């Protein structure tokens, strides 16, 4: 029997044939997740090979080791075809590998956030050593900015523009006002889930250079020394030679960090897809597995890329209609196979969207039946696969923890702790670093203005209180470039 996922959901919503529909819903969801991931893995693995072989350059020993693990697990599944127990072992290996990749990515993100603060500082110093061209006077500039912000009626777009402008204007806010803004931002989470407040705290700390990851002593320690040099720099009185040196440090290290981040995002995406395919196989009997020619084509692409990575001989190339001798010819053949899969992901995505939308309600309404039918582990798997299918490559896959509501006391304590940490940071920081941290964090937190006039007053006062012409010029230039880019984009849409 093969019942459509639509019928399963409809029957479960009506509380009809629950004992029959729940196992069928699980089977259908598993197969759709597995098929979708297999199609996507074929494309991503192919593009990944091209990226690593043509663009990324030689990998260091750590990255090469991770790639080796990915390729080894891929070979074990697609070329050796293990049984269900073997698939479970491979999926556990992937979860362990995913944890390491996630830990490394968090360290990279922490370093990127630190260097971005120093990039902000150096941007404001740039025009001490470069000629400044004509910019709009403060009054005209304020009018242009307000018009740019409120040219849209979409509140989300307006708030995004406000945050951008705050982050780029000369920072002249009193520390007492800044601390009040932090308290106000945290207070928004009263009555919300604790996890959402914790997410805000994490975001704030990373952008304020307060976040300390224990793995920073293990991974990517080569970035510690340049960051320490920037921390000890006296930016207020630097000359052009020092400026160029610090600027090179920031640019070079940011480039390397972003390149590594891109690579680890690719690692994360491949591992998520590979885990989905293998975990589905670990819970699916041979009789229930989808037998589809297109999936066979996707598997052939994956096998071919795996063989190219390993450099081993393989009979897979004999499937081509003509002899394939060099890597370029083999890639071209695999690319032609990918063309046969066009539209497969999109079709299944629509079905999965519907299945995922029903997942929470099915678990809530039919929890007792799920337990009695022995499907709890399967539903846990579906929840995990749903997270892996989201846009969050590094989503937390831990066991479900009952969230709690944030009380007024919890919010006050969280705000007090953040403020205390910021005060401690500011004690040993230069004025220019304090301002950079304030700007970097205010750009990320909820907008604290209520009217367009309040925005206009903030812009005007920020410019009025800035007596550093180089800083003011740099701020105006960045904002004017954004306004011009926004204008040109709108013109292309008309």
């Amino acid at each position: 029997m093969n019942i459509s996922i639509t019928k399963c959901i409809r029957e479960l919503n009506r509380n009809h044939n629950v004992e029959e529909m729940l196992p069928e819903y699980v089977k259908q969801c598993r197969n759709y997740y597995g098929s979708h991931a297999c199609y996507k893995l074929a494309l991503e693995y192919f593009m990944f090979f091209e990226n690593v072989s043509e663009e990324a350059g030689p990998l260091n020993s750590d990255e090469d080791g991770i790639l080796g693990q990915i390729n080894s697990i891929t070979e074990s599944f697609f070329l050796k075809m293990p049984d269900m127990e073997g698939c479970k072992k491979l999926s556990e290996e992937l979860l362990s590998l995913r944890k390491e990749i996630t830990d490394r990515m968090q360290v990279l993100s922490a370093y990127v956030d630190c260097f971005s603060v120093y990039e902000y500082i150096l941007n404001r110093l740039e025009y001490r050593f470069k000629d400044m061209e004509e910019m709009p006077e403060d009054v005209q500039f304020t009018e242009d900015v307000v018009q740019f912000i409120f040219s849209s009626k979409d509140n989300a777009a307006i708030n995004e523009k406000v945050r951008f402008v705050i982050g780029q204007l000369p920072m002249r806010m009193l520390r007492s006002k800044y601390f009040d803004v932090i308290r106000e931002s945290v207070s928004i989470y009263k009555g919300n889930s604790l996890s959402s407040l914790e997410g805000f705290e994490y975001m704030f700390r990373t952008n304020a250079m307060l976040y300390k990851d224990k793995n920073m002593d293990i991974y990517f320690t080569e970035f510690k020394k340049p960051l320490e040099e920037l921390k000890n720099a006296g930016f207020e009185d630097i000359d052009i030679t020092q400026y160029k040196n610090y600027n090179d440090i920031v640019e070079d290290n940011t480039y390397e960090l972003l390149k590594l981040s891109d690579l680890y995002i690719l690692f994360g995406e491949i591992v998520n897809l590979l885990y989905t395919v293998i975990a589905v196989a670990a819970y699916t009997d041979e009789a229930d597995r989808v037998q589809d020619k297109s999936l066979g084509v996707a598997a052939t692409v994956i096998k071919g890329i795996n063989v190219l990575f390993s450099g081993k001989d393989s009979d897979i190339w004999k499937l081509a209609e003509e002899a394939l001798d060099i890597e370029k010819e083999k890639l071209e053949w695999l690319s032609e196979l990918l063309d046969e899969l066009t539209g497969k992901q999109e079709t299944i995505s629509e079905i999965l969207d519907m299945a995922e939308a029903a997942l929470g309600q099915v678990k809530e309404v039919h929890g007792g039946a799920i337990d009695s039918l022995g499907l709890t582990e399967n539903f846990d798997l579906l929840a995990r696969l749903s997270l892996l299918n989201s846009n969050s490559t590094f989503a937390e896959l831990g066991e479900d923890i009952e969230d709690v509501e944030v009380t007024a006391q919890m919010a006050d304590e969280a705000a007090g702790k953040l403020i205390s940490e910021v005060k401690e940071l500011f004690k040993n920081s230069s004025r220019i670093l304090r301002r950079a941290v304030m700007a970097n964090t205010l750009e990320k937190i909820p907008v604290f203005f209520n009217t367009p006039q309040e925005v206009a007053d903030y812009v005007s006062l920020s410019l009025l209180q800035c007596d550093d012409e180089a800083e003011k010029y740099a701020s105006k230039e960045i904002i004017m470039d954004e306004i011009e880019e926004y204008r040109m984009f709108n013109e292309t849409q008309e």
Side-chain angles (χ1 to χ4, degrees):
M1 178 175 58
N2 188 19
I3 303 170
S4 73
I5 192 75
T6 305
K7 182 177 180 180
C8 288
I9 295 171
R10 184 171 61 247
E11 291 291 280
L12 289 170
N13 285 341
R14 293 173 177 173
N15 206 25
H16 291 169
N17 303 317
V18 172
E19 291 189 359
E20 177 185 355
M21 290 300 130
L22 280 175
E24 189 66 22
Y25 172 81
V26 167
K27 184 183 81 171
Q28 294 274 358
C29 286
R30 276 199 319 249
N31 285 338
Y32 280 123
Y33 274 121
S35 298
H36 181 267
C38 190
Y39 291 132
K40 192 172 182 180
L41 179 61
L43 175 61
E44 295 290 335
Y45 201 34
F46 180 93
M47 295 173 62
F48 183 61
F49 179 83
E50 288 190 317
N51 178 277
V52 170
S53 59
E54 297 176 10
E55 298 176 21
L59 303 179
N60 65 33
S61 59
D62 289 340
E63 280 71 65
D64 195 53
I66 291 173
L67 177 58
Q69 286 181 267
I70 291 173
N71 290 333
S72 175
I73 294 172
T74 303
E75 179 183 3
S76 295
F77 179 77
F78 282 95
L79 279 78
K80 299 178 181 178
M81 295 178 291
D83 58 16
M84 292 174 67
E85 190 60 35
C87 289
K88 285 187 178 181
K89 290 180 180 178
L90 290 177
S91 63
E92 289 170 3
E93 286 183 43
L94 281 168
L95 287 180
S96 177
L97 179 59
R98 185 180 187 274
K99 176 66 167 58
E100 179 184 345
I101 292 171
T102 302
D103 287 345
R104 287 174 175 269
M105 189 65 195
Q106 285 185 321
V107 172
L108 289 171
S109 298
Y111 275 124
V112 168
D113 288 332
C114 288
F115 280 103
S116 69
V117 172
Y118 292 107
E119 181 182 22
Y120 175 97
I121 291 172
L122 291 164
N123 283 343
R124 270 66 191 166
L125 299 176
E126 180 181 4
Y127 284 97
R128 291 185 185 181
F129 314 106
K130 287 176 62 175
D131 293 335
M132 292 181 279
E133 299 177 0
E134 187 175 349
M135 274 284 171
E137 293 296 327
D138 291 357
V139 173
Q140 182 61 52
F141 178 79
T142 300
E143 292 178 3
D144 292 342
V145 169
V146 173
Q147 183 179 4
F148 158 68
I149 291 173
F150 295 99
S151 59
S152 169
K153 294 181 180 179
D154 180 5
N155 285 334
I158 291 172
N159 289 341
E160 184 178 348
K161 292 176 186 176
V162 170
R163 285 194 293 269
F164 166 75
V165 169
I166 290 172
Q168 302 307 323
L169 283 169
M171 179 51 57
R172 293 299 183 272
M173 182 182 288
L174 293 173
R175 271 184 270 181
S176 57
K177 171 62 176 175
Y178 175 63
F179 298 146
D180 287 342
V181 171
I182 295 175
R183 288 191 186 91
E184 185 179 334
S185 299
V186 174
S187 71
I188 293 173
Y189 292 90
K190 293 176 184 177
N192 291 333
S193 66
L194 178 60
S195 60
S196 62
L197 173 58
E198 290 173 342
F200 172 83
E201 291 177 284
Y202 169 79
M203 177 279 299
F204 186 92
R205 286 190 173 93
T206 56
N207 285 281
M209 301 198 304
L210 295 171
Y211 178 73
K212 305 301 179 187
D213 192 303
K214 63 181 184 300
N215 289 312
M216 293 178 86
D217 292 327
I218 305 172
Y219 304 134
F220 311 111
T221 54
E222 65 269 26
F223 295 105
K224 275 191 168 185
K225 184 176 179 181
L227 201 57
E228 192 66 25
E229 184 174 352
L230 291 170
K231 182 180 178 181
N232 295 325
F235 286 109
E236 279 83 353
D237 301 316
I238 62 173
D239 57 29
I240 188 169
T241 302
Q242 292 170 314
Y243 168 81
K244 288 180 177 179
N245 176 53
Y246 294 139
N247 198 54
D248 287 344
I249 291 174
V250 170
E251 288 186 352
D252 292 347
N253 285 279
T254 299
Y255 172 79
E256 291 299 324
L257 283 164
L258 294 178
K259 188 169 71 170
L260 282 167
S261 297
D262 288 343
L263 178 62
Y264 275 87
I265 289 171
L266 290 173
F267 281 152
E269 290 172 349
I270 293 292
V271 166
N272 286 349
L273 293 169
L274 193 55
Y275 174 83
T276 298
V277 172
I278 296 176
V280 165
Y283 283 83
T284 308
D285 292 325
E286 186 68 33
D288 288 334
R289 293 186 184 180
V290 177
Q291 304 297 325
D292 184 276
K293 180 183 177 183
S294 296
L295 284 174
V297 173
T300 298
V301 174
I302 294 167
K303 292 174 186 177
I305 293 300
N306 187 261
V307 169
L308 288 176
F309 266 124
S310 69
K312 298 177 182 177
D313 293 329
S314 174
D315 291 338
I316 195 169
W317 311 117
K318 294 180 180 178
L319 296 173
E321 295 179 357
E322 56 187 40
L324 305 174
D325 297 320
I326 61 175
E327 183 181 286
K328 182 179 179 182
E329 293 173 347
K330 294 171 181 177
L331 280 173
E332 287 177 355
W333 177 63
L334 294 175
S335 178
E336 291 170 2
L337 293 182
L338 281 175
D339 291 340
E340 298 180 28
L341 306 179
T342 302
K344 295 292 183 180
Q345 284 184 59
E346 291 74 14
T347 300
I348 297 178
S349 287
E350 295 177 4
I351 299 172
L352 278 177
D353 287 344
M354 175 180 59
E356 288 183 342
L359 180 59
Q361 184 176 358
V362 170
K363 287 178 66 177
E364 182 179 349
V365 174
H366 302 292
I370 289 170
D371 290 339
S372 64
L373 292 169
L375 295 174
T376 302
E377 195 172 340
N378 275 275
F379 270 89
D380 289 343
L381 173 68
L382 294 184
R384 198 177 308 133
L385 298 184
S386 177
L387 282 171
L388 292 173
N389 191 48
S390 69
N391 292 326
S392 181
T393 303
F394 303 101
E396 180 63 50
L397 299 182
E399 296 297 321
D400 288 341
I401 299 175
E402 186 176 352
D403 216 340
V404 298
E405 184 177 297
V406 177
T407 64
Q409 181 180 352
M410 292 164 65
D412 291 343
E413 288 175 354
K417 190 171 182 182
L418 286 178
I419 292 169
S420 177
E421 291 176 25
V422 172
K423 286 181 177 179
E424 188 62 30
L425 173 70
F426 284 0
K427 275 183 185 178
N428 304 311
S429 301
S430 63
R431 180 178 59 180
I432 197 167
L433 180 59
R434 292 196 300 268
R435 289 173 175 173
V437 168
M438 291 168 70
N440 204 40
T441 49
L442 289 176
E443 186 178 356
K444 310 298 191 305
I445 67 179
V447 172
F448 47 91
F449 300 113
N450 296 313
T451 67
Q453 186 59 50
E454 287 183 14
V455 175
D457 290 344
Y458 181 89
V459 175
S460 179
L461 188 61
S462 173
L463 297 172
L464 178 65
Q465 293 180 332
C466 179
D467 56 5
D468 185 331
E469 290 302 317
E471 180 184 3
K472 183 186 291 190
Y473 182 92
S475 297
K476 285 184 176 180
E477 182 182 54
I478 294 170
I479 294 172
M480 291 299 292
D481 285 347
E482 180 70 13
I483 292 174
E484 179 62 19
E485 186 176 326
Y486 177 79
R487 183 189 63 79
M488 292 176 64
F489 173 79
N490 283 340
E491 287 179 356
T492 61
Q493 301 302 304
E494 292 177 355

